Amino acid sequence: MAAGYSEKVMDHFRHPRNVGEMENPDGIGHVGNPTCGDIMEMYLRVKDKVITEAKFKTFGCGAAIATSSMITELITGKTLEEALKVSNKSVIAALDGLPPVKQHCSVLAEDALKSAIDDYLKKTTGKGLEGWQPHNEH
Ligand code: FES
């Protein structure tokens, strides 16, 4: 069953990092994967535009668990702008690859992150991710 999964994928699937809910998060992302119907929530703690903590919950497959676990590790300590550059492709690369049929699962993790950042921006600036220009805010 594990055929085609890298050791890193199996490690993050078996021991996912940052699973669970967060109390009073600064941003919450809630997304669904249209391909398979799985859903994911992501919670962010943000301080001075830096993500200090990220957590997730998913009703998704093993690849969804591994990619969301990895994405929470990749974005912790990054600015919002840097975190937005973390694509599903960078998550797949950090996991040493995913089988082609499971690549859509990594999109769920990327979408959950974007949705959580969008929520944070709406709460703090009144505007969402669309049209957000980080450099114009200073
Ligand atoms: Fe649904 Fe992987 S099959 S997220």
Side-chain angles (χ1 to χ4, degrees), residues 33 35-38 59-64 102 104-106 108:
N33 188 327
T35 312
C36 63
D38 289 347
F59 296 95
C61 68
K102 300 307 273 181
H104 72 268
C105 314
S106 63
L108 193 61

Side-chain angles (χ1 to χ4, degrees), residues 25-32 39-44 55-57 108 111-120 123:
D26 296 310
I28 305 178
H30 184 94
V31 292
I39 57 171
M40 183 180 299
E41 283 186 352
M42 190 164 293
Y43 313 90
L44 299 178
K55 288 192 142 195
F56 77 94
K57 268 196 335 194
L108 193 61
D111 286 352
L113 170 63
K114 292 213 170 104
S115 166
I117 292 178
D118 183 60
D119 181 55
Y120 168 77
K123 282 176 181 153

Side-chain angles (χ1 to χ4, degrees), residues 10 13 17 21 38 56 78 90 106 119 132:
M10 290 313 292
F13 168 57
R17 291 27 157 206
E21 271 182 55
D38 289 347
F56 77 94
K78 284 197 162 61
S90 25
S106 63
D119 181 55
W132 183 53

